[in-house]
Amino acid sequence: MAAHCYERPLHTGAVDPETLNVRVRSDAGDWRDAVHLSHGTAEQVYLLLRIAMVDHLTAASSESCPLLCDDITAHCDSVRTGAIMDLLHRMSQARQIIVFAQQPSIVRWAAKHLDVARDRIAMLDRALIRA
């Protein structure tokens, strides 16, 4: 699992190849099914799993696969939101990362961290979006 992506991982993870059940181990050594984690923590574990799967599936190719993320920080506190966005920004040096978000904290993060020569932010007009 891609727990190594966080600079200070909270969990070590494992995936059962037969059932695809995800289990995580805390620093205390306790193993738990990811379904028993808080919603926000489980979403972060699944994000890291998706990143690891994309890396694994494209490892033998010279092609990179874009990563599409939709509201990935909706259930995160500000510290984890920043860590996830920092991780994705570092990853964007090697692959295209597209983040859809509606949290003002993401816009503030982008304004502070994105490089206008390399990165792009597109704000959608809510009036033009149909429900």
Side-chain angles (χ1 to χ4, degrees):
M1 182 158 208
H4 66 278
C5 292
Y6 276 126
E7 291 174 6
R8 294 177 56 207
L10 299 177
H11 302 285
T12 299
V15 179
D16 183 327
E18 290 184 22
T19 64
L20 298 180
N21 286 339
V22 178
R23 294 177 52 90
V24 294
R25 185 175 54 122
S26 69
D27 288 338
D30 302 320
W31 283 93
R32 294 180 14 187
D33 287 331
V35 296
H36 298 297
L37 299 172
S38 71
H39 185 72
T41 301
E43 282 192 356
Q44 292 155 29
V45 168
Y46 290 128
L47 171 63
L48 295 176
L49 179 59
R50 287 193 306 269
I51 292 168
M53 286 186 356
V54 167
D55 287 345
H56 176 73
L57 293 172
T58 60
S61 171
S62 61
E63 298 288 324
S64 70
C65 178
L67 184 63
L68 302 175
C69 304
D70 186 20
D71 275 336
I72 56 169
T73 60
H75 302 284
C76 296
D77 59 32
S78 62
V79 172
R80 288 186 180 185
T81 294
I84 288 171
M85 295 306 296
D86 289 342
L87 167 67
L88 293 176
H89 194 232
R90 286 192 309 271
M91 289 178 60
S92 74
Q93 295 177 13
R95 76 166 24 100
Q96 184 180 26
I97 307 286
I98 300 170
V99 176
F100 295 96
Q102 49 186 321
Q103 299 95 337
S105 62
I106 299 299
V107 176
R108 288 190 301 272
W109 182 94
K112 184 176 178 181
H113 294 91
L114 294 186
D115 176 0
V116 295
R118 186 178 79 84
D119 304 315
R120 178 159 310 165
I121 185 169
M123 300 293 290
L124 302 179
D125 184 348
R126 286 187 171 272
L128 300 175
I129 301 172
R130 292 184 231 171

